[in-house]
């Protein structure tokens, strides 16, 4: 259906028509924002206030942003030698398979669908098997908005079957995947069979550096957002927090006091945190907490089961963490924070880079030279300064090293969904006779 829609209809649709369809879709999502947010919290377990005010708000903004690009996809004139005119065209890749994670189901779909639709591609989208509800309702809104049949196809299913079919299918020209690095490697190997283009947004073990001249209250607030937001199920989670030795004890005291105030429970009540997405994920996080304790880290907050039905994990803080401990090396994807001491900025940068990942990083300091040096030397796709987990649709997002390939969001994402065609024309030098 996607191939037929692309070849027979969609690739010929004007950019202004794509723009109007995407704007109508955004309007429909805004109209049904409460319903979609409810489905997202039922899907994932995240607090409804976050589903409504963060996930859905950013989704709507994303579609409107890329709607604005739909009629502005353009090439360049190339200054070449000789009697030639040369220019480039940016053409849609064709049919794109998009495999969506369970931590931000609608938002991660928007990050992929937005640029794909704006540039004229058709999509086969597979939501995570844990969280299909909101994607199925979204498919109805696609139809209501007036997109031609086959332009967006939602295919629920399991990773090895539905996801595997997408990566291996000969009629799919590109695969975009967000998820674990382990599965990203599987996707990449499968796509290599027929040289599909691939965009991967994968795991992270992001460092957050708190320098001695930092605004401690702001740093404490950012550290909580960095690790406890979305129950820690965030690829950019600042799960390695390096604190300068001169302020370490005071920072830990303030952080623990603030974190104790976080509430957990039914996501449709006024709570700070909901449950983990599944029993399987809860079990994984518990195993990391056990490893942290067994390897000698000191658990100063959380780390115990709570008397509440559901897949809850308390916000957990470890101190006395060493770089070679499991909780300091592996992505946990849960509300588990590791605090490590450092003495000098050189040391913090070197240890921050001592990871196979490179998705994000952050630094808190009042010294602009410290901040700029850190931003320059840390190997990460996004660097936050005196803030953390601040996103905007206009800024590109992606990682270094095992954190992925390519970029999502911003103008840069458009390049991930287009082929560049060069056209060269020989000029006729023979005089034209009247």
């Amino acid at each position: 259906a996607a191939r037929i829609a692309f070849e027979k209809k969609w690739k010929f649709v004007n950019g202004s028509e794509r723009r109007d369809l995407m704007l109508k879709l955004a309007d429909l999502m805004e109209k049904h924002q409460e319903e979609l947010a409810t489905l997202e919290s039922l899907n994932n377990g995240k607090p409804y206030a976050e589903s409504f005010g963060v996930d859905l708000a950013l989704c709507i903004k994303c579609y409107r942003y890329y709607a604005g690009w739909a009629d502005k996809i353009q090439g360049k004139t190339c200054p070449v030698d000789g009697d030639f005119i040369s220019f480039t065209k940016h053409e849609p890749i064709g049919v794109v398979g998009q495999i969506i994670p369970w931590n931000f189901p609608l938002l991660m779909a928007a990050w992929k669908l937005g640029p794909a639709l704006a540039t004229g591609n058709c999509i086969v989208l597979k939501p995570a098997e844990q969280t299909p509800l909101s994607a199925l309702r979204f498919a109805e809104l696609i139809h209501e908005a007036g997109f031609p049949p086959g332009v967006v196809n939602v295919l629920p299913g399991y990773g090895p079957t539905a996801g595997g079919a997408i990566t291996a299918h000969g009629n799919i020209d590109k695969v975009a995947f967000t998820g674990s690095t382990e599965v990203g490697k599987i996707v990449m190997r499968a796509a290599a069979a027929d040289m599909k283009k691939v965009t991967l947004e994968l795991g992270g073990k992001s460092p957050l550096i708190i320098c001695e001249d930092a605004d401690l209250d702001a740093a404490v607030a950012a550290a909580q957002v960095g690790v406890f937001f979305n129950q820690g199920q965030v690829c950019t989670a600042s799960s390695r927090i390096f604190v300068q030795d001169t302020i370490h004890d005071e920072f830990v005291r303030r952080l623990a006091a603030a974190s104790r105030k976080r509430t957990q429970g039914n996501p449709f009540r006024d709570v700070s945190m909901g449950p983990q997405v599944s029993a399987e994920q809860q079990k994984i996080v518990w195993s990391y907490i056990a490893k942290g304790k067994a390897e000698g880290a000191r658990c100063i907050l959380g780390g115990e089961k709570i008397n509440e039905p559901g897949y809850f994990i308390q916000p957990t803080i470890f101190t006395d963490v060493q770089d070679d401990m499991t909780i300091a090396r592996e992505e946990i994807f849960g509300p588990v924070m590791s605090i490590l001491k450092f003495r000098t900025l050189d040391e913090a940068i070197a240890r921050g880079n001592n990871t196979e990942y490179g998705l994000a990083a952050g630094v808190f300091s009042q010294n602009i030279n410290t901040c700029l040096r850190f931003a320059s030397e840390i190997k990460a796709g996004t660097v936050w300064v005196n803030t953390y987990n601040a996103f905007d649709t206009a800024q590109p997002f992606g990682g270094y090293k095992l954190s992925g390939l390519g970029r999502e969001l911003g103008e840069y994402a458009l390049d991930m969904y287009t082929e560049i065609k060069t056209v060269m024309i020989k000029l006729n030098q023979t005089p034209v006779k009247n």
Side-chain angles (χ1 to χ4, degrees):
R3 176 59 61 189
I4 293 170
F6 179 73
E7 299 293 348
K8 301 293 186 182
K9 174 75 173 179
W10 189 241
K11 71 178 182 180
F12 302 112
V13 171
N14 291 328
S16 58
E17 295 178 64
R18 298 197 302 271
R19 175 200 65 204
D20 293 345
L21 286 168
M22 293 178 71
L23 288 173
K24 186 171 182 181
L25 174 63
D27 290 345
L28 285 169
M29 293 187 74
E30 192 168 53
K31 178 181 177 181
H32 296 280
Q33 189 168 350
E34 291 183 4
E35 176 193 2
L36 291 169
T38 299
L39 287 173
E40 204 72 321
S41 289
L42 290 170
N43 248 345
N44 174 277
K46 66 180 66 189
Y48 172 81
E50 291 179 7
S51 292
F52 184 90
V54 179
D55 293 38
L56 265 297
L58 291 176
C59 279
I60 294 162
K61 182 178 179 180
C62 185
Y63 286 114
R64 286 175 175 157
Y65 173 86
Y66 281 110
W69 275 109
D71 58 352
K72 301 172 185 67
I73 309 300
Q74 57 188 330
K76 297 179 180 180
T77 301
C78 307
V80 297
D81 293 341
D83 297 325
F84 299 95
I85 291 178
S86 180
F87 61 90
T88 60
K89 297 176 64 181
H90 288 234
E91 299 181 344
I93 289 175
V95 178
V96 179
Q98 299 181 330
I99 302 173
I100 309 302
W102 46 256
N103 57 337
F104 294 95
L106 282 176
L107 183 56
M108 294 299 99
W111 283 19
K112 290 173 173 54
L113 281 168
L117 289 171
T119 50
N121 296 278
C122 289
I123 296 98
V124 178
L125 184 142
K126 191 199 90 66
E129 56 264 35
Q130 298 89 342
T131 54
L133 297 179
S134 54
L136 293 171
R137 180 66 180 107
F138 173 79
E140 294 178 339
L141 297 183
I142 285 279
H143 176 73
E144 186 177 343
F147 284 86
V151 172
V152 178
N153 308 271
V154 176
L155 179 68
Y158 291 98
T161 51
I166 286 173
T167 58
H169 202 288
N171 262 332
I172 289 186
D173 305 302
K174 173 196 167 72
V175 177
F177 169 80
T178 294
S180 71
T181 296
E182 178 185 8
V183 177
K185 291 178 180 180
I186 295 172
V187 170
M188 198 169 181
R189 282 194 293 267
D194 54 359
M195 297 298 289
K196 287 181 175 64
K197 297 182 182 300
V198 177
T199 302
L200 302 173
E201 196 268 280
L202 306 176
K205 195 66 182 174
S206 302
L208 174 59
I209 312 301
I210 314 297
C211 298
E212 61 187 357
D213 63 342
D215 178 333
L216 283 191
D217 289 335
V220 163
Q224 292 183 87
V225 170
V227 181
F228 300 146
F229 173 64
N230 205 43
Q231 297 67 249
Q233 299 166 147
V234 183
C235 53
T236 57
S238 57
S239 53
R240 292 187 298 152
I241 299 184
F242 293 89
V243 184
Q244 201 151 19
D245 54 359
T246 53
I247 59 166
H248 173 274
D249 293 351
E250 178 61 17
F251 176 84
V252 169
R253 185 189 67 78
R254 295 192 196 186
L255 177 65
S259 300
R260 286 190 185 95
K261 298 177 182 177
R262 301 185 72 83
T263 56
Q264 291 180 283
N266 186 327
F268 292 97
R269 296 175 184 160
D270 184 17
V271 295
S272 307
M273 298 170 62
Q276 307 306 121
V277 71
S278 66
E280 179 185 10
Q281 187 60 25
Q282 182 193 42
K283 183 178 179 181
I284 291 170
V285 178
W286 274 123
S287 72
Y288 278 109
I289 291 173
K291 288 177 184 177
K293 293 176 178 178
E295 293 177 8
R298 187 163 66 98
C299 185
I300 65 164
L301 185 71
E304 303 293 338
K305 294 185 178 181
I306 65 173
N307 187 24
E308 181 82 25
Y311 309 130
F312 290 96
I313 298 284
Q314 290 177 317
T316 299
I317 301 174
F318 281 100
T319 60
D320 299 339
V321 178
Q322 305 302 314
D323 293 332
D324 59 351
M325 291 181 177
T326 303
I327 59 173
R329 292 185 294 105
E330 297 183 11
E331 184 176 41
I332 298 173
F333 230 60
V336 180
M337 183 186 299
S338 296
I339 300 180
L340 307 93
K341 284 185 184 181
F342 76 93
R343 291 189 300 276
T344 68
L345 182 61
D346 285 343
E347 175 195 342
I349 292 172
R351 292 170 66 193
N353 282 331
N354 185 24
T355 173
E356 61 187 4
Y357 298 110
L359 190 57
V363 61
F364 269 75
S365 172
Q366 299 301 312
N367 187 325
I368 189 62
N369 294 317
T370 296
C371 297
L372 290 175
R373 184 180 164 210
F374 178 83
S376 177
E377 296 186 20
I378 201 75
K379 295 183 175 73
T382 297
V383 180
W384 286 294
V385 177
N386 293 327
T387 187
Y388 204 85
N389 271 344
F391 287 92
D392 192 283
T393 308
Q395 66 184 29
F397 179 77
Y400 287 27
K401 299 188 278 188
L402 292 188
S403 288
L405 295 173
R407 291 295 182 270
E408 296 189 305
L409 297 181
E411 183 179 358
Y412 291 85
L414 300 170
D415 293 338
M416 305 292 108
Y417 290 94
T418 57
E419 294 277 17
I420 300 174
K421 178 180 287 182
T422 300
V423 179
M424 197 165 193
I425 303 171
K426 173 69 173 175
L427 297 177
N428 187 351
Q429 299 301 308
T430 303
V432 177
K433 296 182 180 179
N434 294 327

